[in-house]
Every structure is written in C-alpha cells, then in structure tokens.
Amino acid sequence: RLLIVSLCSVGTDIASAYACSFCTENQIVLNYVVNILHFLVQNFVPCLYCLFAYSLVYENINIGSNVTSIGRDAFLNSVELENIVVDENNAYYSSLDGILFNKDKTVLLRYPTGNSAKSYTVPAGVTTIGYAAFVSSAKLTSVTIPDSVTTIGDSAFAWCDSLTSVTIPDSVTSIGNEA
C-alpha cells in the first residue's frame, strides 16, 4: 500500500492531464510499487496525472518547494487520498489541514477524496472553489462556503454521493457546469 508520495525538487512544470502520453514507462513502474510505504520522487516527475491515475492506493501526498504547476485533473482518481501537504517554501501552492490551495489561499484546488471528515467549512478569504475541488468526496455530508467566495468551478461537487447540504452565500455570482 503506497502511503506517501513526495514530490520534492521537481523541475519547473508538472504537465496538465491529457498531456501525458510520454508517461508509459513510469505507469508500468508505478503499478509495481503498490506495496512500498514511502515513494519519493526527486528531480523527476513526468506529470502528476500519470502518477496518480492508475489505481494506486496512497493516503498522503507531499508537494515539494519546486513544484510550479499541477494539472487540474491530477488527483481525480485519488480515492484513498486523505492529506495533501505542500512545502511552505513552495511559491505557487499551499495547504491547510491537508487541503490544497493556491499560494495565497484564495483558490481551493483540491479537497482530498479520502478525507474522513463529514463536514467542511471553506476558510474565509477563499474567493474561488476550483474545478472538481470536492469531486467524489464520498464521506462529506455538508460544506459551508464563506461570504468571500464568488465563484464555484465546474464539477466542484460532482459525485459527492453523501453530500446533503451546501451552504452557498449570496456573494457567489458564478456557479460552473455540473457543480
């Protein structure tokens, strides 16, 4: 069971999804490391989407200081992911309580699908809930959105089968498709 994936000292870009046709060798290798407790990626990550799109079971992801770009679909198949931790020296991303944000915490990028919390309150100061931010969060039953939020991205709450309550303030002026 792959418990921790660290993305440390990565180059300048982690390609967005669908741009990963060159990842075939790495997919094969990663399919054989399912029983490793700690998989450390240093100085080399072809793209996050390829690393996490193939039914690997992992609970924690550590994003290093040099990661500058994460594809928007990078964590879509991360059913066991409970915690995302970003190095505090990363200039582009941050995390709070295991949730992924942009650096200044104005955009909530990804709520880990395997997070066991039943309710979540988006922090004040967040202005945008990003594309598929809560997608497939099966344990989540309620989300409270603060008045600072103006935009909810496409598919933000798609496939959240247990979600019964989302408190949306009047400040929200844009709700994406299939949100």
Side-chain angles (χ1 to χ4, degrees), residues 150-162:
T150 59
T151 303
I152 298 174
D154 291 345
S155 304
F157 298 100
W159 304 295
C160 292
D161 296 336
S162 299

Side-chain angles (χ1 to χ4, degrees), residues 64-142:
S65 61
N66 292 329
V67 175
T68 62
S69 179
I70 298 174
R72 75 179 198 162
D73 291 333
F75 304 114
L76 284 183
N77 293 325
S78 308
V79 295
E80 298 292 325
L81 181 60
E82 296 175 2
N83 196 35
I84 301 169
V85 177
V86 178
D87 185 295
E88 65 184 32
N89 295 315
N90 187 296
Y92 301 93
Y93 299 99
S94 62
S95 58
L96 178 65
D97 300 326
I99 297 23
L100 180 65
F101 295 87
N102 67 336
K103 182 63 178 180
D104 60 0
K105 294 183 178 73
T106 58
V107 180
L108 191 155
L109 297 169
R110 182 70 63 216
Y111 180 91
T113 303
N115 188 308
S116 61
K118 298 226 182 269
S119 64
Y120 181 70
T121 299
V122 175
V126 170
T127 59
T128 301
I129 295 175
Y131 164 81
F134 291 90
V135 71
S136 299
S137 295
K139 297 171 188 143
L140 199 58
T141 60
S142 69

